[in-house]
Amino acid sequence: MAVFTEVSEDEAGALLRQLKLGELRSLRGIQSGIENTNYFVTAEDMFGRREYVLTLFERLTFEQLPFYLHLMKHLAQHGIPVPDPAADANGDILHTVCGRPAALVNKLEGSHELAPGPDHCAQVGAMLARMHLAGRDYNRRQPNLRGLAWWNETVPVVLPFLEPAQAALLRGELAFQNHVAAGSAYGALPRGPVHADLFRDNVMFRDGRLSGFFDFYFAGVDSWLFDLAVCLNDWAVDLPTGAHDPVRAGAFVAAYQSVRPLTAAERQLLPAMLRAGALRFWLSRLWDFHLPREASLLQPHDPTHFERVLRERVRHPVSADTL
């Protein structure tokens, strides 16, 4: 969500008119994040002013993007509070701005809860389960592009930048995850579209109630357990240490299971998937930190946070039976 591609007011205004959403009143770049170019857009028509988010995709292609955009449209139509991509007169929701693939979605109401309590975790857990179930009949397929295949490709790229102890941890965890993925329990995990990046800053609350999930551009078809593990590694850890928070984790998983109970295979592999989620984000942050791209508002995340989380998950496995 850094600004890699500068968008002029004329270009943004032209898109609004193409979508029949009124006239541009303001345009400002969003500083957080590292993947795409994002702007807040204010438009005005005869009914008043409305807020949108304009995204220009810097890595995802025109061929890949329909999966994400139509998934958001599908979930919105099934009552999940997610941004709904705006369509033009032909019904197209993928547009072109500054030569880049682009989308315009409604801006969700509310704000982030960066210090969540058990009630916030429970709300996210229940909605995550509803989202998984709502995606069962989604008819497009695309793998999680930051899944196991990407880990195997990327580990050799970042290893030269690491200290010996870090390199040993990274090699060992990759070997462990390849072993897990070859097992029958892994093959039995329920699968479908997943968000795969549902951190605290990708969820909105308004007056204490969950008002939406957003930023689906790491989504893909993967195990629902992996999605749950990614959430637990952010919503239910102590940020300074990476240590497991049993109270918040228990609230999250209990609420999730009130909508969709975990299977035996999921309960068995929860500790391994918690490690997988930590590996995925440690590795992506290492890649972004050591091999950054230029951007006018680029702030790469600290990789050491998820190194700590992974070490905690290896030393102190979290059993589903304790949640």
Side-chain angles (χ1 to χ4, degrees):
M1 288 184 280
V3 174
F4 298 95
T5 301
E6 299 285 349
V7 178
S8 71
E9 291 190 355
D10 287 344
E11 289 161 325
L15 178 64
L16 289 175
R17 289 189 291 276
Q18 175 188 338
L19 301 178
K20 302 187 184 306
L21 295 175
E23 294 298 318
L24 179 70
R25 292 294 177 254
S26 71
L27 176 71
R28 58 190 177 91
I30 301 175
Q31 298 183 29
S32 60
I34 57 175
E35 282 296 318
N36 300 311
T37 291
N38 281 268
Y39 284 87
F40 287 129
V41 176
T42 302
E44 186 172 21
D45 61 15
M46 67 178 65
F47 301 106
R49 293 195 174 197
R50 292 183 175 83
E51 300 291 327
Y52 301 93
V53 176
L54 170 63
T55 300
L56 277 64
F57 301 97
E58 303 292 343
R59 285 178 168 162
L60 296 170
T61 66
F62 281 99
E63 292 74 27
Q64 293 168 332
L65 280 161
F67 174 86
Y68 306 100
L69 299 177
H70 285 280
L71 175 60
M72 293 159 63
K73 178 71 74 174
H74 176 90
L75 294 175
Q77 291 171 343
H78 284 70
I80 308 301
V82 302
D84 193 357
D88 63 17
N90 297 320
D92 294 327
I93 57 178
L94 177 57
H95 315 295
T96 303
V97 176
C98 300
R100 303 281 192 192
L104 190 79
V105 303
N106 57 300
K107 182 175 178 286
L108 297 175
E109 299 280 343
S111 59
H112 307 307
E113 180 50 70
L114 299 181
D119 180 61
H120 300 106
C121 293
Q123 291 184 60
V124 178
M127 188 60 71
L128 180 69
R130 294 190 183 101
M131 187 195 82
H132 288 163
L133 295 177
R136 286 179 299 183
D137 60 347
Y138 183 56
N139 60 8
R140 294 173 184 259
R141 292 291 178 267
Q142 182 166 282
N144 175 3
L145 299 181
R146 291 292 179 91
L148 185 62
W150 185 81
W151 308 345
N152 280 297
E153 293 171 0
T154 307
V155 164
V157 178
V158 302
L159 280 174
F161 298 100
L162 304 186
E163 297 296 327
Q166 294 175 310
L169 175 63
L170 191 58
R171 288 193 191 96
E173 189 57 35
L174 181 62
F176 173 74
Q177 293 300 331
N178 277 304
H179 173 74
V180 169
S184 58
Y186 184 85
L189 294 177
R191 294 173 178 273
V194 299
H195 186 285
D197 190 30
L198 196 63
F199 285 16
R200 305 175 194 193
D201 58 356
N202 285 334
V203 177
M204 303 292 273
F205 291 87
R206 186 180 186 187
D207 297 327
R209 307 310 300 169
L210 192 155
S211 56
F213 293 171
F214 67 100
D215 198 358
F216 277 78
Y217 303 118
F218 281 118
V221 174
D222 205 330
S223 71
W224 289 336
L225 183 64
F226 177 76
D227 214 17
L228 176 60
V230 166
C231 290
L232 291 175
N233 280 344
D234 184 67
W235 290 87
V237 299
D238 176 64
L239 292 181
T241 66
H244 171 64
D245 184 318
V247 175
R248 281 184 283 156
F252 198 113
V253 174
Y256 183 95
Q257 292 205 97
S258 72
V259 178
R260 189 193 75 83
L262 297 178
T263 67
E266 288 176 311
R267 298 182 70 83
Q268 175 187 340
L269 287 184
L270 178 60
M273 287 301 99
L274 288 167
R275 290 170 59 169
L279 172 64
R280 178 264 189 260
F281 284 95
W282 183 32
L283 184 55
S284 64
R285 290 186 177 190
L286 285 169
W287 188 44
D288 289 326
F289 186 84
H290 293 293
L291 300 163
R293 295 171 294 152
E294 291 186 3
S296 57
L297 294 170
L298 181 58
Q299 297 178 341
H301 294 297
D302 178 11
T304 59
H305 169 65
F306 274 102
E307 179 186 353
R308 290 191 296 270
V309 174
L310 177 56
R311 292 185 185 279
E312 282 290 321
R313 295 310 196 193
V314 173
R315 284 196 296 256
H316 306 291
V318 176
S319 169
D321 295 331
T322 64
L323 297 175

